Amino acid sequence: MLNFSTLAKLAFLSLLSFPQTAQAIWPFKEKRFKEEAFIDAGSLGLQDVKGRVVALGDWNGDQKLDLFTLNENGKTITIHLWNKDKFTYSPTHTLSLSSTISNIVPGDYNHDGHLDLLVMYLKEDDGGWWGNKNGKLGMQIYLGGGENGGFQENPWKLDDSLPTQPIIFDADNSLKPSLLGLIPNDEITEGVLRTWLNNGTGFTLGSTPLISPDQACTLANPHSSAFIDIDGDCLPDLVLHCAKPKSTHHSIQIWLNRGKSGYQLSRSYDLPRGSGALSFADMNRDGSIDIIFPICKQHSKSTGIGTECNINIAYNKQVPTCATETSEHTKEGKLKCRGWGQLCRSDEEFDFTFDLSDPDFTSIPLSTLLSVSEDSTAGILLHPPNSPNIPLPIRPGDYNVDGFPDLLLTVHQTVKRSTGGILGGSQDVDQVKVLVNIPCSKNVPGCDKNAKGKRGFKVGSGNGKSWEALHSIHDAQGASWIDIDDDGSLDVLVQRSGSQSGQKVSFIQNNFYHDAFFLKAQVLNGACEGICEPAQGGKSYSPLGVSHSGATYKFTILDTLGHRVAQQVSQLPQTGYHSLHTPYAYFGLGRTNNYVEKLFIGTSLPSGEHTTYLESIIPNSQIIINPPYPLTNSISGQNTTSSNYQELIINRSKEWKSQLYLKPGDWIPWVGAAVFGTVILLGFVVLGLNEKEKKQDELERRRKLHIINFQAL
């Protein structure tokens, strides 16, 4: 008979005798990137690309980020799908035009759950040799869902625009992407602002009943206009980046979304002279969107280099968040503070300032951030050399997931060096820098004014070789935040000239460990409820690749000290001029020991129906939100869907739906192994005690057999 110790030995020996089986069930996979640093991931399949990455999107709806590249002559688009198993991008479908392509905007334009491509290309004017070459911008939409996952035949053709690129916005609260831009006009040289209205089967060019033409400005070229919530009601507004005719002076107009009443001009601001491209983010984590942009005193159109530059942040002045769940108002009825359970309340008194002396406007000289010596000069690369139509904005993104967006920009430095003789020399270096958003303290750039509650910046450098992969690139021509393999960290895509290594695209993997949490969220467009089922038959497919431009997220969270903080993040706020925004929103939560209390989601649906919220969201997760599909036009009250439009899909989304995907941390297998080991150990203890108990019972039974009953004698 086998005892307990013998069984334990046999079990242990059986595990040793099957090493391959043990390796197959081993839960700990070998890490691809082991060092805690920014790591050079190489070109990831884009080594043959000679042009640029011009757009990001999820082409096949597999929740993996795909890339759209443009070749060196600007006439061929290639879709590169992410292959998770091979950890690389694979080229699949191509699209070629005879004209030079200026921009690509992925989106679901026919509302069928497939991602489509809006292609903008330059057209020569027919006005003769004296006419303006490249005087018009042609536009066509190539519909997805074609054979083998490619394009359908017969693209939609849109009316021409001026070279100033139109922006994507929702003109009629239908969740369908329409366009706003300038059309040619014989009487007005700078063009007229018009709307390309999406009716589901094409675009119709008309007047702008939602925007007063008399008040609208002339868009700059290039411009940084955005479709984003500015007043805090979770309804996306219009921020128009304007320029006066024959002038370098720029300004912005803020048009608030009034739902059925259209868009109303609310604020106008003059930008400081020398202002560059605008970016938008909640920089100080107060629950409102701020504006980030550079100012350079001198700018070379040929090289794209701006010198004597400052990094500037115009903070959005809105009411704070209340300590209570409900909002509070003044005696006059004005909003005093937003309750943390009512974050989507409009603050009519919001304001910006672009005065350098105002404490709500931060301006940081680039020289103080880089500690430029007397033997070197520094500037910002505002656009790639000889490509003034591709602006390089300052890109906010929370690489260290502390809840405060950091800034990504390309810096040009000319460093003087000695050659050992009487002649000197210099070296031009174009590098990607990360400006880390940190609390204000002594000697922190950006903290010279009233530093209470403000933030400053420092250049990310780290210790040892942790930043070497990023800083070793000396031929950078732009950089963007992406999430390689969707592993929950913000990585860097670097566009290069190729002069250093021949590579035009490089990827830098963010492999730092941060004791903090993140959240990824994506708002779809309501085209399908769950899985798309074509009305005319065919294979069903996933709509997860179609994101809604202008969606807003607002939430509160408790930090480790128990303080409640609010945060606002936008999704796809800008679409023009190679904006390279991801189709989802990524935001750091910082250190917390709690759930996300309430996550508010806002879309461009009719006012009053445009928001929903989710409670107790688990950190380190991805949320997919699908809004209800609107059947009527909120502006006119008429049915906006033609019969052809309704026939595409038979299961439109009827109500708000959400899906939560958890991302297991690296420590999950260790927790599982610890639990499994504990259970096995306790099992052996129980078996051992049970065996001991049986032996004791047997001894007791034997003792009772030898007891003599003296009364029976």
Side-chain angles (χ1 to χ4, degrees):
M1 181 176 178
L2 297 175
N3 57 20
F4 171 73
S5 60
T6 304
L7 288 173
K9 292 178 181 179
L10 288 175
F12 180 72
L13 290 174
S14 65
L15 287 177
L16 294 179
S17 63
F18 296 101
Q20 295 181 351
T21 304
Q23 184 177 4
I25 63 174
W26 183 250
F28 308 104
K29 296 182 179 180
E30 184 178 358
K31 291 185 177 181
R32 185 180 299 273
F33 302 106
K34 300 179 180 180
E35 186 179 357
E36 187 178 339
F38 272 125
I39 300 174
D40 184 4
S43 58
L44 297 182
L46 301 186
Q47 61 272 6
D48 295 330
V49 172
K50 303 303 180 183
R52 293 180 61 85
V53 176
V54 293
L56 311 175
D58 182 3
W59 178 254
N60 54 356
D62 62 350
Q63 290 187 272
K64 301 299 179 184
L65 189 66
D66 307 316
L67 304 181
F68 302 84
T69 62
L70 192 62
N71 69 345
E72 53 189 336
N73 66 7
K75 296 183 178 181
T76 300
I77 302 167
T78 304
I79 302 175
H80 300 261
L81 300 183
W82 177 251
N83 189 321
K84 181 176 179 62
D85 295 333
K86 297 181 179 179
F87 201 80
T88 186
Y89 287 99
S90 302
T92 53
H93 309 286
T94 60
L95 178 65
S96 297
L97 274 68
S98 59
S99 302
T100 302
I101 299 170
S102 60
N103 193 30
I104 303 168
V105 184
D108 184 9
Y109 296 95
N110 63 342
H111 227 113
D112 66 345
H114 281 300
L115 199 64
D116 314 313
L117 285 187
L118 167 61
V119 180
M120 303 179 182
Y121 55 93
L122 298 175
K123 298 179 66 177
E124 290 189 357
D125 199 345
D126 297 329
W129 63 268
W130 61 87
N132 179 20
K133 301 298 181 181
N134 300 333
K136 294 181 182 179
L137 192 69
M139 294 184 290
Q140 294 189 78
I141 291 178
Y142 294 84
L143 301 176
E147 187 177 357
N148 298 322
F151 299 98
Q152 299 182 27
E153 298 180 355
N154 303 320
W156 294 358
K157 184 175 177 57
L158 281 66
D159 290 283
D160 295 339
S161 161
L162 286 182
T164 304
Q165 296 181 12
I167 66 169
I168 299 294
F169 83 120
D170 189 350
D172 55 0
N173 306 121
S174 64
L175 299 182
K176 299 192 300 291
S178 296
L179 301 176
L180 180 69
L182 299 173
I183 64 169
N185 187 279
D186 295 335
E187 299 180 356
I188 305 176
T189 57
E190 60 268 18
V192 180
L193 194 67
R194 287 291 183 267
T195 298
W196 287 258
L197 185 63
N198 187 346
N199 60 19
T201 58
F203 283 76
T204 56
L205 181 62
S207 59
T208 56
L210 308 180
I211 296 178
S212 173
D214 297 333
Q215 295 177 299
C217 65
T218 300
L219 296 179
N221 187 22
H223 63 89
S224 307
S225 301
F227 187 48
I228 189 171
D229 174 34
I230 293 296
D231 62 343
D233 61 354
C234 298
L235 197 62
D237 310 306
L238 279 171
V239 180
L240 302 184
H241 187 191
C242 316
K244 294 182 179 179
K246 299 181 181 180
S247 173
T248 58
H249 181 74
H250 287 188
S251 62
I252 61 172
Q253 286 186 343
I254 297 177
W255 294 75
L256 298 182
N257 193 335
R258 298 304 188 187
K260 295 182 179 180
S261 302
Y263 293 84
Q264 178 183 349
L265 180 61
S266 174
R267 305 280 195 281
S268 296
Y269 300 97
D270 288 331
L271 296 174
R273 189 171 299 277
S275 300
L278 308 178
S279 303
F280 301 85
D282 184 359
M283 296 302 298
N284 55 350
R285 208 182 189 190
D286 64 348
S288 61
I289 294 295
D290 310 311
I291 302 177
I292 309 102
F293 61 97
I295 296 177
C296 298
K297 292 185 178 180
Q298 296 182 356
H299 172 212
S300 172
K301 291 185 178 181
S302 60
T303 63
I305 300 170
T307 55
E308 299 183 58
C309 301
N310 286 23
I311 308 296
N312 306 275
I313 302 174
Y315 290 100
N316 192 341
K317 293 180 282 187
Q318 292 191 24
V319 296
T321 304
C322 304
T324 58
E325 187 173 1
T326 57
S327 303
E328 298 180 8
H329 296 78
T330 63
K331 295 180 179 180
E332 295 78 15
K334 295 182 179 181
L335 186 66
K336 183 178 179 181
C337 62
R338 290 190 185 93
W340 57 267
Q342 299 175 334
L343 293 181
C344 292
R345 290 289 183 92
S346 175
D347 180 10
E348 300 293 337
E349 304 297 324
F350 81 93
D351 194 17
F352 292 93
T353 181
F354 294 89
D355 184 357
L356 299 177
S357 62
D358 195 293
D360 287 311
F361 184 86
T362 296
S363 184
I364 310 173
L366 182 66
S367 58
T368 62
L369 289 166
L370 299 179
S371 300
V372 178
S373 65
E374 296 180 356
D375 294 333
S376 64
T377 60
I380 298 177
L381 200 63
L382 301 175
H383 62 76
N386 301 314
S387 302
N389 60 333
I390 307 177
L392 300 178
I394 300 172
R395 301 187 187 275
D398 192 0
Y399 97 96
N400 56 2
V401 294
D402 64 349
F404 295 91
D406 310 298
L407 301 178
L408 186 71
L409 72 161
T410 307
V411 174
H412 174 86
Q413 288 183 276
T414 301
V415 181
K416 295 181 179 180
R417 59 186 179 183
S418 175
T419 60
I422 60 173
L423 297 178
S426 63
Q427 179 183 10
D428 290 336
V429 176
D430 293 327
Q431 291 179 303
V432 176
K433 298 291 185 181
V434 177
L435 303 185
V436 185
N437 192 337
I438 59 175
C440 271
S441 61
K442 187 177 181 181
N443 297 327
V444 173
C447 299
D448 296 336
K449 302 175 184 177
N450 182 13
K452 183 179 180 181
K454 297 297 179 64
R455 307 286 296 185
F457 294 90
K458 69 174 182 179
V459 175
S461 57
N463 298 319
K465 298 182 179 180
S466 58
W467 290 72
E468 183 179 352
L470 187 64
H471 294 165
S472 63
I473 297 176
H474 293 167
D475 61 345
Q477 291 192 348
S480 306
W481 298 108
I482 66 169
D483 185 2
I484 301 174
D485 200 36
D486 290 273
D487 60 356
S489 63
L490 277 188
D491 312 302
V492 182
L493 182 158
V494 183
Q495 314 241 35
R496 310 174 63 173
S497 67
S499 61
Q500 184 177 357
S501 63
Q503 289 186 191
K504 300 286 286 188
V505 180
S506 293
F507 295 90
I508 304 298
Q509 174 79 29
N510 177 5
N511 206 47
F512 287 105
Y513 171 75
H514 301 288
D515 186 16
F517 297 98
F518 73 92
L519 201 63
K520 291 176 68 174
Q522 181 182 6
V523 173
L524 307 181
N525 64 352
C528 313
E529 186 165 340
I531 298 297
C532 295
E533 298 178 7
Q536 298 180 355
K539 187 179 179 180
S540 59
Y541 53 91
S542 169
L544 297 180
V546 294
S547 299
H548 175 59
S549 296
T552 297
Y553 308 93
K554 297 184 78 172
F555 62 94
T556 59
I557 196 168
L558 294 174
D559 61 19
T560 53
L561 299 178
H563 300 149
R564 181 175 285 108
V565 292
Q567 194 168 343
Q568 180 175 356
V569 183
S570 59
Q571 175 178 292
L572 287 173
Q574 295 166 300
T575 53
Y577 300 95
H578 304 188
S579 57
L580 291 175
H581 285 287
T582 58
Y584 50 78
Y586 178 97
F587 31 95
L589 302 178
R591 298 185 63 190
T592 180
N593 51 14
N594 206 345
Y595 299 101
V596 178
E597 295 175 311
K598 281 190 176 183
L599 174 65
F600 290 85
I601 302 102
T603 64
S604 57
L605 285 169
S607 181
E609 308 171 13
H610 68 287
T611 62
T612 188
Y613 68 89
L614 303 173
E615 292 184 303
S616 301
I617 304 299
I618 302 173
N620 280 20
S621 60
Q622 181 174 359
I623 305 170
I624 306 294
I625 303 103
N626 201 15
Y629 166 71
L631 294 176
T632 58
N633 185 325
S634 67
I635 304 299
S636 63
Q638 301 295 323
N639 192 320
T640 60
T641 57
S642 66
S643 58
N644 292 334
Y645 184 49
Q646 291 178 334
E647 287 175 358
L648 293 175
I649 300 297
I650 62 176
N651 59 333
R652 300 286 187 189
S653 179
K654 301 177 181 61
E655 58 184 2
W656 290 94
K657 297 284 187 178
S658 62
Q659 302 175 35
L660 181 69
Y661 298 89
L662 290 177
K663 180 192 176 297
D666 295 337
W667 41 267
I668 292 295
W670 293 103
V671 173
V675 173
F676 181 75
T678 302
V679 171
I680 295 298
L681 178 62
L682 292 177
F684 278 114
V685 171
V686 170
L687 289 175
L689 293 176
N690 184 57
E691 188 75 15
K692 186 176 181 180
E693 182 70 19
K694 287 182 179 180
K695 291 181 179 179
Q696 292 292 335
D697 292 342
E698 181 67 18
L699 290 175
E700 287 288 333
R701 188 182 65 82
R702 290 179 179 179
R703 289 193 189 101
K704 290 181 179 180
L705 290 177
H706 296 287
I707 296 176
I708 300 176
N709 190 344
F710 292 98
Q711 294 181 354
L713 297 177

